[in-house]
Amino acid sequence: MSECRAQPLGNPWVSRCCSGRNYPAAYADMAAVVVRRVRNLLKRADFAKVPRRHRYKKKWATTEPKFPATRLALQNFDMTYSVQFGDLWPSIRVSLLSEQKYGALVNNFAARDHVSAELEQLNARDFVNKAHCHGELEPESGQTAALPPVSWACSPNLRCFTFTRGDVSRFPPARLGSLGVMDYYLMDAASLLPVLALGLQPGDTVLDLCAAPGGKTLALLQTGCCRNLAANDLSTSRTGRLQKVLHSYVPQDIRDRSRVRVTSWDGRKWGELEGDTYDRVLVDVPCTTDRHSLREEENNIFQRSRKKERQMLPVLQVQLLAAGLLATKPGGHVVYSTCSLSHLQNEYVVQGTIELLANQYSIEVRVEDLTHFRKLFMDTFSFFPSCQIGELVIPNLMANFGPMYFCKMSRLT
């Protein structure tokens, strides 16, 4: 075993190590000094023109994302929806990126006949009334006109005006009417379809599990069928918006008479809190909100910081739908809805939830056939022809509503 041998003190230039090799120690020291000086020069060059108070260390992942969330959303949609929709995707894509059409939901607590007359003067039409007339006057071939079956009976007393296909006119902003409430509520007209499909009947107890910002809750109240209405949303800020909508459109005595209860509970636990309670349940779940994700940076779920939240959406949606079905009485009805085109958030969630309830709770759920319901509204909306479960409104430049997916279910046991 060799040992290091110290060199005479008079020779500072050479040190000898156990390997027997000679190293110029002074040169190494000089090289270290040079490296330090070069580094200092580089630092001065980098910051020579930048005051010290403005110097910072860049953090690319958090402070400087490479792409905005809207662009990330478009890239994601191009990759997934081009496969899901095939040749239809280019037209859906350009429609999503174009200006959206709206409908004017008439407030039945205002002077509704006067409001309807004013909207007709704008050359808008009540698409709900037109659909009812179409269903009564044009029965299926080989059949006579009959009362509609319960599976596709529409919720009553709703009036919603839209402009005809290809007409991109805008409604003026709603204003305060003579009765102290707003005349109409502007919304994506396709958002009314889940409420219509729910088929409310007088005296129903109703739950709106994910109620904010309040358009569908308002429509539920407009039917005049709610003996009790529970409107819930986990976010307290969003329930604040819901409260503002109700106060602007619904008189206090009506809110009291309908026993409207606004809560901010975790909707996933509703089956435990109020199981087997409601006749009708609307489960309008959080989703990728496709149109918003392509147009707005604020609260965009495609922000890099929300990646995990976005990936977990189908799990949350299954939990919410399961809770809604558990809160429904046997024999009651549930409508599940999203404003997403993704079949992972639509059909797959419905199928997964039905299997979950069958396996874990021995609860049988049946999906209702909405074919006739779809036919009633084909003059107003464009429907995806290959939806396996439920119905999907797809954006179209001639009728730029949606996207809106909805599926009606009956709890049998």
Side-chain angles (χ1 to χ4, degrees), residues 1-4 18-19:
M1 182 174 180
S2 61
E3 296 181 356
C4 292
C18 57
S19 63

Side-chain angles (χ1 to χ4, degrees), residues 133-188:
C133 294
H134 178 79
E136 293 173 1
L137 297 177
E138 297 185 20
E140 304 239 359
S141 59
Q143 299 179 0
T144 56
L147 292 176
V150 175
S151 62
W152 57 266
C154 295
S155 299
N157 305 322
L158 293 173
R159 300 183 185 184
C160 188
F161 285 78
T162 59
F163 293 105
T164 57
R165 279 179 171 264
D167 187 344
V168 294
S169 302
R170 296 183 182 182
F171 289 102
R175 64 179 186 274
L176 197 65
S178 58
L179 299 182
V181 291
M182 304 295 282
D183 283 339
Y184 54 81
Y185 182 84
L186 293 178
M187 64 191 302
D188 184 334

